[in-house]
């Protein structure tokens, strides 16, 4: 069974949407920047226009295990603070945020790695062109001798 959710929240200075696909215990997500606060009608029109592309983009992102959050009985506030601090310390060591935030972070890291590799290839191509041009100039200078 799969579930799709779009969450719109404010991340200073823009309104951002996070599209989550939860399927088989795994969550995949993608992030959309809206700019100004979108109305319900604008969201509806946006999803009708770009929904399939967003789903494909989210499905292409790496999956992250979805957290199974069991319902817990009410906890003493002091104990809840202690558990929250322990959870925050554990989250700081490893995974940060929710499963959808983790999926968005992985997507960002993939795009960043791809961009770095592309930049490195462009730089090598530029250096190769410069070497070829310098060699051609050098040969042209010595051509008549």
């Amino acid at each position: 069974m799969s579930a799709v959710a779009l969450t719109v929240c404010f991340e200073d200075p823009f309104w951002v949407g996070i599209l989550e696909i939860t399927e088989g215990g795994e969550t995949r997500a993608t992030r959309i920047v809206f700019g100004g606060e979108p109305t319900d009608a604008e969201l509806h029109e946006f999803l009708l226009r770009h929904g399939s592309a967003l789903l494909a983009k989210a499905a292409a992102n790496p999956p992250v295990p979805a957290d199974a959050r069991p319902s817990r009985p009410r906890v003493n506030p002091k104990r809840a603070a202690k558990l929250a601090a322990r959870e925050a310390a554990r989250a700081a060591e490893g995974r940060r945020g929710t499963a959808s935030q983790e999926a968005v972070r992985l997507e960002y890291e993939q795009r960043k790695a791809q961009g770095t590799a592309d930049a490195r290839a462009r730089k090598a191509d530029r250096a190769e062109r410069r070497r070829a041009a310098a060699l051609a100039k050098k040969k042209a200078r010595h051509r008549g001798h």
Side-chain angles (χ1 to χ4, degrees):
M1 179 173 188
S2 67
V4 178
L6 175 66
T7 306
V8 178
C9 58
F10 182 73
E11 291 181 10
D12 197 28
F14 302 112
W15 284 86
V16 175
I18 297 179
L19 181 77
E20 302 175 48
I21 302 173
T22 304
E23 186 172 34
E26 295 180 333
T27 299
R28 297 171 189 261
T30 190
R31 185 171 176 258
I32 312 115
V33 178
F34 290 114
E37 182 176 9
T39 63
D40 289 341
E42 290 171 340
L43 282 174
H44 181 71
E45 182 181 338
F46 180 82
L47 287 176
L48 289 176
R49 192 170 286 168
H50 304 289
S52 59
L54 286 173
L55 288 173
K57 185 178 175 185
N61 291 334
V64 174
D67 294 331
R69 297 183 182 163
S71 61
R72 290 185 225 149
R74 187 157 180 230
V75 183
N76 182 310
K78 288 183 180 179
R79 179 162 179 78
K82 184 178 176 182
L83 290 173
R86 186 180 302 151
E87 184 67 28
R90 189 169 57 114
E93 295 170 0
R95 226 176 82 176
R96 288 184 218 87
T98 64
S100 62
Q101 288 171 335
E102 182 74 10
V104 168
R105 186 185 62 78
L106 286 174
E107 174 196 4
Y108 170 76
E109 288 177 359
Q110 274 186 336
R111 280 188 283 127
K112 183 177 176 183
Q114 183 63 39
T116 302
D118 291 347
R120 191 176 294 124
R122 283 193 308 271
K123 186 176 179 182
D125 289 345
R126 191 178 320 121
E128 183 61 36
R129 281 195 310 273
R130 283 184 177 172
R131 278 192 293 275
L135 185 60
K137 283 174 76 174
K138 184 178 175 183
K139 283 185 177 181
R141 270 186 261 138
H142 294 286
R143 200 175 99 197
H145 296 90

